[in-house]
Amino acid sequence: RRRPERRVVHAVRTADGAWWANLHAQVHSEERALADARTAAEAVLGWSGGAPRVLLGGDTNLRKPVAPGFVHLGGNWVDHVLGQGWARVGAKRLDAGPLSDHAPVLVELAPG
């Protein structure tokens, strides 16, 4: 969407057929952030054409993100990883250092 802030979801398909998507949702509005997550989920699932594994992650600006067709695989504060066709093996928060005001999230996954 373009207003009130421009928001996009980026996605790539890897050689194994999995899809990986990144979103930065609306800040300071839970309603708009939820709408961004929902719209991104619908777009990525449409692009993936029924691929067996799809990930949607990023700065959701939500404490408890919800995206139709996806399960929560890990996260911290407003940064989360959601997936379809993946099982969480482990997750942890990393040190952001001077790079960001958000601590990076490392989620270890396995097909499933």
Side-chain angles (χ1 to χ4, degrees), residues 4 17-18 29 97 110:
S29 170

Side-chain angles (χ1 to χ4, degrees), residues 9-11 19-22 39-49 54-56 70:
V9 59
H10 300 94
W19 280 77
W20 303 76
N22 179 60
T39 301
E42 291 169 0
V44 173
L45 290 177
W47 298 335
S48 73
V54 182
L55 275 180
L56 173 61
F70 289 84

Side-chain angles (χ1 to χ4, degrees), residues 38-94:
R38 186 173 45 254
T39 301
E42 291 169 0
V44 173
L45 290 177
W47 298 335
S48 73
R53 290 181 315 283
V54 182
L55 275 180
L56 173 61
D59 183 345
T60 66
N61 280 309
L62 297 164
R63 303 290 176 139
K64 295 183 179 184
V66 177
F70 289 84
V71 297
H72 188 262
L73 297 169
N76 178 58
W77 190 38
V78 296
D79 301 309
H80 297 275
V81 176
L82 308 167
Q84 178 185 84
W86 293 97
R88 178 176 129 168
V89 175
K92 64 182 175 179
R93 187 177 68 149
L94 304 175

